[in-house]
Amino acid sequence: MLYIGSHVSYKKDTQLLGSLNEALSYGSNAFMFYTGAPQNTLRDKINDMLTIEALTKMKENNMLLENVIVHAPYIVNLANNKELEKYEFAQNFLRQEIERCMLLGIKYIVLHPGSSVGIDEKVALNNIIKGLNNILLKEDNICILLESMAGKGTELGKNIDELKYIIDNIELKDKVGVCLDTCHLNDSGIDLNEFDKYLDEFDEKIGIDKIHCIHINDSKNILGSHKDRHENIGLGTIGFDTLINVIYNPRLDNIPKILETPYVDKEYAPYKYEIEMIRNKKFNPNLYHDIINNK
Ligand code: FE
Ligand code: FE
Ligand code: ZN
């Protein structure tokens, strides 16, 4: 079964219910959101009434909770401990994010593993491991999904071996998994035309059963560019047919696929149109025009 959706907004006054409504308006059966602004760590209290209303509406619309994903803010960096205060803050924030997700009934939290910024990569990887081991508790019904990164700057998690090293050293193994991102894979040097070869290696080293979410994005940059700039589906260097092959790869059936493509002219959400193309497996050459004119 294809579970496809997008990143959606999360607003203080409507919370999960507002995010669900936005997702449904795009024809999604999966979605992802930040529990506040992605670039800061200010978070509002979860409103239980809104959560109950949202969970009821999800049931009515066959939106399965395992296809609802939270993305941790990208400024949280578990890799660097040069400033101990920041390293501890990152752990405290993530712990609170886990609590918030459990209140919402959400199991999967996508996390950028972190950036080493000036310290040894191995030390930085060990910081990530230590941080995760500190915050994960046996009774948590949560799974932290380490995102595969493009390798921009000093990002970690840019290849299978780094992801494997982190996962191998987590004590509560059922509480960690992976989120693949097609733009990041391309930019990190993985040719998605040979995606099955990548999956073979992933399966051998980590296990495909650890993949619980896939971000579907085209890329503005060429293979191996280490840039990380997302492009609308079919309009980037990966291309429509290659992305369709990833989305419909039978080895990844039932795993939620989430679009994080850019708004058109910074104003118009492309998701309804991109989801339609993906369901039809047919590229719409008038994509921008249709999005802007709401056709
Ligand atoms: Fe991400
Ligand atoms: Fe992503
Ligand atoms: Zn990205």
Side-chain angles (χ1 to χ4, degrees):
M1 171 97 177
L2 174 66
Y3 294 108
I4 179 87
S6 71
H7 163 257
V8 295
S9 64
Y10 177 92
K11 298 192 177 96
K12 188 182 172 174
D13 300 329
T14 54
Q15 300 195 352
L16 185 61
L17 183 63
S19 304
L20 170 67
N21 284 334
E22 185 180 337
L24 291 173
S25 80
Y26 301 144
S28 309
N29 56 0
F31 65 97
M32 182 179 80
F33 62 96
Y34 292 88
T35 59
Q39 68 275 14
N40 71 42
T41 50
L42 302 169
R43 294 297 183 260
D44 295 302
K45 232 184 135 231
I46 301 294
N47 177 326
D48 290 337
M49 293 305 288
L50 287 169
T51 305
I52 290 168
E53 213 182 312
L55 295 178
T56 308
K57 192 163 183 179
M58 273 186 210
K59 258 198 197 125
E60 288 164 5
N61 287 278
N62 299 317
M63 182 75 76
L64 304 176
L65 261 175
E66 65 253 39
N67 296 323
V68 179
I69 318 277
V70 159
H71 197 311
Y74 42 72
I75 54 155
V76 165
N77 186 7
L78 285 182
N80 190 289
N81 66 346
K82 264 204 294 200
E83 290 169 75
L84 212 59
E85 223 168 279
K86 276 193 190 164
Y87 181 58
E88 272 163 12
F89 178 85
Q91 292 178 51
N92 287 334
F93 180 87
L94 267 179
R95 184 60 225 170
Q96 286 162 28
E97 191 84 327
I98 289 172
E99 305 282 348
R100 266 189 294 276
C101 286
M102 288 198 290
L103 280 175
L104 293 167
I106 292 171
K107 181 169 180 188
Y108 294 114
I109 304 175
V110 171
L111 175 71
H112 293 182
S115 294
S116 57
V117 272
I119 65 169
D120 179 74
E121 281 201 348
K122 197 62 176 246
V123 173
L125 285 166
N126 286 330
N127 285 336
I128 297 169
I129 291 160
K130 219 188 304 162
L132 288 173
N133 280 333
N134 280 343
I135 59 167
L136 287 168
L137 303 176
K138 215 163 83 191
E139 58 269 29
D140 291 341
N141 185 18
I142 223 78
C143 187
I144 305 276
L145 303 181
L146 304 167
E147 185 163 353
S148 65
M149 302 309 289
K152 185 173 108 188
T154 61
E155 273 174 356
L156 297 166
K158 57 190 177 294
N159 55 49
I160 293 175
D161 291 325
E162 288 180 359
L163 294 170
K164 177 183 166 58
Y165 179 74
I166 299 170
I167 291 171
D168 280 351
N169 287 287
I170 299 296
E171 286 153 17
L172 300 166
K173 289 222 181 344
D174 58 318
K175 290 172 179 36
V176 281
V178 172
C179 170
L180 299 179
D181 182 311
T182 54
C183 169
H184 300 175
L185 287 176
N186 174 78
D187 290 15
S188 78
I190 300 296
D191 183 355
L192 290 172
N193 291 304
E194 297 180 2
F195 186 53
D196 269 302
K197 255 169 68 181
Y198 175 82
L199 283 183
D200 287 341
E201 187 188 340
F202 191 101
D203 199 32
E204 193 185 304
K205 291 182 171 169
I206 297 177
I208 286 185
D209 60 338
K210 280 284 180 201
I211 304 172
H212 294 289
C213 180
I214 304 172
H215 290 166
I216 304 294
N217 304 302
D218 216 324
S219 175
K220 285 192 196 293
N221 293 287
I222 56 163
L223 184 71
S225 58
H226 303 294
K227 283 282 203 330
D228 188 7
R229 289 188 64 214
H230 302 182
E231 181 57 284
N232 292 105
I233 302 304
L235 299 175
T237 60
I238 301 172
F240 189 74
D241 294 338
T242 303
L243 287 170
I244 286 291
N245 283 334
V246 171
I247 294 165
Y248 287 95
N249 189 304
R251 299 160 87 180
L252 303 174
D253 194 24
N254 293 318
I255 297 171
K257 319 280 183 336
I258 303 289
L259 298 159
E260 302 174 296
T261 48
Y263 272 43
V264 176
D265 292 344
K266 295 196 170 116
E267 200 178 329
Y268 307 99
Y271 307 122
K272 182 180 143 203
Y273 303 88
E274 291 179 326
I275 288 169
E276 201 173 83
M277 290 197 306
I278 288 166
R279 288 198 197 279
N280 296 337
K281 300 185 189 174
K282 196 172 178 302
F283 181 65
N284 171 9
N286 297 317
L287 184 63
Y288 276 169
H289 177 267
D290 288 359
I291 293 168
I292 290 169
N293 294 292
N294 194 21
K295 286 218 169 116

